[in-house]
Amino acid sequence: MRPAVFLDRDGVINRAFVRNGTPYPPDSLAALEILPGVPEALNVLRSRGYLLVVVTNQPDVARGTLSRGVVDGIHARLQGEFHFDAILTCFHDDTDDCDCRKPQPGLLLRAAHDFGIDLGSSFMVGDRWRDVEAGRRAGCRTFFIDCSYDERLPSSFDFRAGSLMEASEIILAQLDLR
Ligand SMILES: [Mg+2]
Ligand SMILES: [Zn+2]
């Protein structure tokens, strides 16, 4: 069993585009912008033995406002650059009633099953309540990156961080305490 860091995508790995207080994914490959410190944070977490699994809701595909091809292209680019252990995507919307759209923990549980992940020693890093709640339901410790979106806050989380880099520093500090 190995620990993992589960990573939300938009607002954690790449820049989210905020309109009227709500974050949106890049609408093209050209709009993909990796956030500062992300490559370094991923490298250090990997070097300390964490699997790196992206878990992302992309409901705009079901809503018809974003093409599946754009999402696939972005994931191919991210995979080429960062070699994640997996990028798992929910393409559904709330009305589909799936088990993978965060706050449901389906994507995390599937990864845990497929990769032999110890959820209790794993972390979820996200910028929205749905990410934090999915991590909590899966039994992970959770990070909330607060980007001040105009939406509800997570009801609870274990750590607050300003960026993935800061979250990785906190994770490593926890390791050093043991
Ligand atoms: Mg996000
Ligand atoms: Zn789904």
Side-chain angles (χ1 to χ4, degrees):
M1 297 267 275
R2 290 180 62 185
V5 178
F6 294 102
L7 303 149
D8 175 48
R9 196 194 79 176
D10 304 312
V12 175
I13 302 293
N14 55 273
R15 187 172 305 286
F17 296 86
V18 181
R19 296 193 294 272
N20 299 322
T22 301
Y24 291 89
D27 61 3
S28 68
L29 192 52
L32 180 66
E33 184 185 338
I34 304 303
L35 290 169
V38 164
E40 297 82 359
L42 295 175
N43 281 337
V44 72
L45 290 170
R46 179 178 283 122
S47 75
R48 298 296 290 263
Y50 287 93
L51 293 168
L52 300 175
V53 179
V54 176
V55 288
T56 179
N57 286 350
Q58 295 296 330
D60 290 353
V61 173
R63 293 168 189 166
T65 55
L66 184 64
S67 81
R68 172 76 184 248
V70 166
V71 177
D72 290 344
I74 287 172
H75 291 178
R77 169 76 60 84
L78 292 175
Q79 208 44 314
E81 209 160 320
F82 299 123
H83 309 286
F84 292 107
D85 294 284
I87 298 178
L88 303 178
T89 310
C90 169
F91 287 106
H92 307 112
D93 202 351
D94 287 324
T95 51
D96 293 312
D97 202 28
C98 66
D99 67 2
C100 49
R101 176 163 161 76
K102 297 173 286 184
Q104 299 290 348
L107 296 179
L108 290 79
L109 300 181
R110 195 163 98 211
H113 175 266
D114 290 351
F115 293 97
I117 291 168
D118 175 14
L119 290 166
S121 56
S122 297
F123 297 88
M124 172 78 217
V125 183
D127 64 341
R128 305 182 79 174
W129 71 269
R130 289 174 178 278
D131 308 313
V132 172
E133 180 63 17
R136 195 189 66 75
R137 290 187 195 179
C140 301
R141 278 168 290 173
T142 56
F143 278 90
F144 178 49
I145 297 180
D146 188 354
C147 301
S148 302
Y149 302 135
D150 186 12
E151 63 181 10
R152 61 177 275 197
L153 295 172
S155 49
S156 69
F157 48 86
D158 296 299
F159 307 97
R160 185 190 289 270
S163 64
L164 179 58
M165 176 53 90
E166 201 180 311
S168 72
E169 286 164 359
I170 295 170
I171 290 172
L172 299 192
Q174 299 281 312
L175 278 182
D176 293 338
L177 288 176
R178 291 197 311 212

